[in-house]
Amino acid sequence: MRNRQPHPFPLEVRVENTNHCNASCVICPREKMTRPKGFMSLDLFRRIVDECTNHHIKEMHLQGFGEPFLDKNIFDRIKYTKEQNIGSTFLVTNGSLLSEDTCEKIVQSGLDRIKVSFYGTEETEYEAVHKGIRYEKVKNNIQQLLLVKKRLKSSTPKVTLKYIGHLHLFPRFVFQWWPKTRVSYARLHNYCYGRKYNRVSDHEDRKCDMIWDPICQILWDGLVVPCCYDFDGRLILGDLNQQSISEIWNGEKYKKLRDAHASNQLHQYPLCKICDKLR
């Protein structure tokens, strides 16, 4: 179990610029999302970045439960974050909107890392998962991003392709993409009540590392939730339209949540109790 004393301020802040998406991936429970869809205002975003700068955070994620490149202000956000000397910037994309112009802007923006969710080793597998986007187009977009990086002689952003799916297919995925770019693997997850890929243990002493990690998850409208698996924003810990990150992070709602995890009282938080990430 991790140290039960929380860091006084998160070291990593994840800012959802939008929860709109142009795909309907079967592994993603978007059809169960009931919260409003929108884009974070630049004013709220800048206030978040300013506070994070004052606390010298190590990393900022610039996406949440949506496709970040649907946001017309995404490059303004990256630029502002880099100007404020945030340690590292990162985002995740499905890769479908990486036109040549977008790829050049990505490389020139100074973004440190980008991860492409690419769940498939061939067209049939990929398009059975990523409903609404095309295998060949996304594959070509990724290759284009790598070529633009090479042409502009840039070491950033570091590009990773993440395969989430059946482990026995991962070696084939590695063979297809290595050493063109980094690859990684993760198992499918339930998003609490969103999917049922994994059995949830009923042991009372299950622990959640994520609740002790110094990571703050912010939705596009400024609401703060415990982690990225609360895709529908059901467990609200604070509102950045009325509070600071520091006030929320050290506030009573966060304290009660951490105490419940520390004392195995997860019946107080049904969302956590059914999470397959607890071990």
Side-chain angles (χ1 to χ4, degrees):
M1 182 72 181
R2 287 177 180 266
N3 189 337
R4 294 182 180 180
Q5 292 300 316
H7 197 276
F9 194 87
L11 298 180
E12 179 181 306
V13 175
R14 299 176 177 181
V15 182
E16 180 182 73
N17 64 323
T18 183
N19 60 342
H20 283 283
C21 192
N22 61 332
S24 300
C25 302
V26 298
I27 61 177
C28 174
R30 290 189 60 80
E31 80 284 355
K32 296 183 178 181
M33 185 187 292
T34 61
R35 62 186 172 100
K37 295 182 178 66
F39 298 86
M40 180 175 283
S41 72
L42 280 174
D43 178 64
L44 174 58
F45 179 80
R46 287 169 181 151
R47 284 192 281 115
I48 291 169
V49 173
D50 290 348
E51 185 178 1
C52 291
T53 300
N54 291 336
H55 287 272
H56 309 289
I57 72 164
K58 292 185 177 181
E59 182 164 284
M60 178 168 283
H61 290 206
L62 299 169
Q63 101 296 320
F65 212 79
E67 169 50 47
F69 292 108
L70 288 173
D71 177 14
K72 65 181 181 180
N73 292 316
I74 185 62
F75 293 107
D76 292 327
R77 299 185 200 278
I78 297 171
K79 179 181 178 183
Y80 190 77
T81 305
K82 298 302 295 184
E83 287 174 347
Q84 302 309 307
N85 295 315
I86 295 293
S88 179
T89 52
F90 170 75
L91 61 75
V92 181
T93 174
N94 62 35
S96 64
L97 302 177
L98 302 182
S99 65
E100 184 173 1
D101 179 62
T102 297
C103 288
E104 289 190 0
K105 288 179 179 177
I106 291 170
V107 175
Q108 293 168 344
S109 72
L111 181 71
D112 293 287
R113 296 189 295 123
I114 185 170
K115 182 167 68 181
V116 183
S117 301
F118 195 90
Y119 314 148
T121 58
E122 43 81 27
E123 184 175 353
T124 301
E125 180 194 2
Y126 180 91
E127 294 183 8
V129 175
H130 296 277
K131 302 289 188 180
I133 53 180
R134 296 288 171 257
Y135 173 78
E136 287 296 332
K137 177 175 175 56
V138 176
K139 185 175 73 171
N140 291 338
N141 286 352
I142 295 166
Q143 292 170 338
Q144 181 168 245
L145 176 58
L146 297 173
L147 287 173
V148 169
K149 269 189 65 178
K150 185 175 181 180
R151 173 165 58 81
L152 296 179
K153 299 179 180 179
S154 177
S155 61
T156 58
K158 297 186 185 304
V159 182
T160 300
L161 270 61
K162 172 153 279 190
Y163 181 88
I164 300 181
H166 300 293
L167 183 58
H168 72 277
L169 294 175
F170 184 57
R172 182 179 178 189
F173 184 81
V174 173
F175 178 77
Q176 289 175 332
W177 288 100
W178 186 263
K180 299 175 187 175
T181 190
R182 296 170 176 80
V183 295
S184 63
Y185 172 82
R187 69 185 183 92
L188 294 166
H189 43 257
N190 292 353
Y191 285 102
C192 297
Y193 55 91
R195 291 290 183 264
K196 295 182 178 180
Y197 290 117
N198 305 307
R199 178 182 174 275
V200 177
S201 171
D202 57 3
H203 291 301
E204 289 296 322
D205 61 348
R206 292 180 300 143
K207 304 300 182 185
C208 177
D209 280 348
M210 293 188 71
I211 205 66
W212 302 104
D213 283 339
I215 299 172
C216 183
Q217 188 83 33
I218 305 170
L219 304 182
W220 72 267
D221 53 3
L223 299 179
V224 175
V225 295
C227 70
C228 59
Y229 299 110
D230 185 6
F231 67 92
D232 203 26
R234 292 193 178 184
L235 182 48
I236 304 301
L237 300 174
D239 183 351
L240 287 172
N241 296 289
Q242 303 173 20
Q243 302 164 277
S244 67
I245 296 174
S246 183
E247 288 171 338
I248 295 170
W249 185 255
N250 297 292
E252 191 62 24
K253 288 185 177 180
Y254 241 123
K255 182 180 184 299
K256 286 183 177 179
L257 177 62
R258 294 184 185 112
D259 287 348
H261 276 263
S263 58
N264 296 323
Q265 299 295 310
L266 292 186
H267 62 274
Q268 300 176 32
Y269 295 94
L271 203 68
C272 296
K273 187 175 177 62
I274 63 172
C275 182
D276 63 320
K277 302 302 287 186
L278 271 65
R279 295 288 184 269

